[in-house]
Amino acid sequence: MQDKMQTYAAQAATQGYTGGAIEINRVLRNTYALLAMTLAFSAMTSGAAIVFNVPFLHPIVTLVTYFALLFAVAKTQNSGWGILWTFALTGWLGFTLGPMLNVMLQMPGGSEIVMLALGGTATIFFGLSGVALVTRKDFSFMQNFLFVGILVAFVAAIANLFLQIPAMALAISSMFLLLSSGLILWQTSAIIHGGERNYISATVTLYVSLYNIFMSLVHLLMAFGGDD
């Protein structure tokens, strides 16, 4: 009787592990698929902003709309509406990126900076995602540090809108670059260890991390290139 109970327990554990692995693979697959689609969509909205020569939007308008869309995603992430709001959020971020890209592409060396920033962003993403997927290390210990760090960096960025200190702007860009890179490690690790089961939430985290990395690289490359 005891042997049978042990056998049943082993079978249940195996089934639970298999089911967990299937769920993790599903979340990973859906996250990367949705991330790819949102990146393509934001590229389209950014391109539209360039074609129609959309001017720079006021930072307050950009931030208020961003947080409103982020709130909408959080409230609907467990339904199909969450996908719609995810596209709205990423499309908005792409659209607000258009005016900056439009100016840069007309600058001497601007297109090279954009390409370097895109290449650097892709390298960081695939490199860090690969580390998390291959090593299977649990990076959950980074969570509190990352979120406190991002809050500090965001408050500093808001303050520098009024202070306009170049050295502070560079420091903020460096902070966002490092913290967003850490978020990629943390989020990917959370998926493969079962801590993240919502692919909409995971997609938004990864997309915003990529957006911040790209913006930070553009700013740093411009500064070191003598254009800042």
Side-chain angles (χ1 to χ4, degrees):
M1 182 68 177
Q2 186 176 1
D3 292 340
K4 288 184 178 180
M5 291 180 64
Q6 291 175 345
T7 301
Y8 291 150
Q11 290 176 345
T14 301
Q15 291 173 352
Y17 176 81
T18 302
I22 292 174
E23 177 65 13
I24 288 169
N25 288 333
R26 183 190 68 81
V27 175
L28 271 175
R29 183 176 63 253
N30 289 344
T31 297
Y32 288 137
L34 183 57
L35 180 62
M37 288 187 287
T38 54
L39 287 171
F41 182 65
S42 63
M44 291 172 58
T45 58
S46 182
I50 293 173
V51 170
F52 291 104
N53 200 27
V54 175
F56 282 94
L57 300 176
H58 195 283
I60 300 301
V61 173
T62 301
L63 287 175
V64 169
T65 305
Y66 167 71
F67 280 113
L69 292 172
L70 195 63
F71 177 79
V73 171
K75 294 295 289 184
T76 60
Q77 63 183 7
N78 294 312
S79 70
W81 285 102
I83 296 176
L84 177 64
W85 286 115
T86 297
F87 275 101
L89 172 65
T90 56
W92 171 252
L93 288 176
F95 184 77
T96 59
L97 192 62
M100 184 198 74
L101 293 177
N102 196 16
V103 171
M104 290 196 63
L105 292 175
Q106 297 177 39
M107 291 168 45
S111 58
E112 287 79 3
I113 290 177
V114 171
M115 294 307 296
L116 280 173
L118 284 173
T121 302
T123 300
I124 291 171
F125 175 71
F126 287 114
L128 294 178
S129 296
V131 168
L133 291 169
V134 172
T135 65
R136 314 292 290 188
K137 184 176 180 179
D138 187 355
F139 289 97
S140 60
F141 66 90
M142 300 172 64
Q143 179 174 341
N144 292 336
F145 168 77
L146 289 172
F147 284 97
V148 171
I150 288 172
L151 179 60
V152 171
F154 180 76
V155 171
I158 295 296
N160 205 41
L161 287 176
F162 303 96
L163 299 175
Q164 294 294 310
I165 302 174
M168 186 174 177
L170 288 176
I172 292 169
S173 293
S174 299
M175 287 179 65
F176 271 114
L177 176 61
L178 293 174
L179 292 168
S180 296
S181 298
L183 270 178
I184 292 174
L185 275 176
W186 170 79
Q187 184 62 86
T188 307
S189 172
I191 295 174
I192 63 179
H193 288 94
E196 177 64 85
R197 295 298 180 94
N198 190 295
Y199 68 92
I200 292 177
S201 173
T203 297
V204 170
T205 299
L206 291 175
Y207 179 93
V208 173
S209 297
L210 290 172
Y211 180 90
N212 287 333
I213 289 172
F214 174 74
M215 292 290 288
S216 298
L217 285 175
V218 166
H219 186 207
L220 293 171
L221 287 169
M222 287 181 66
F224 292 131
D227 295 316
D228 191 61

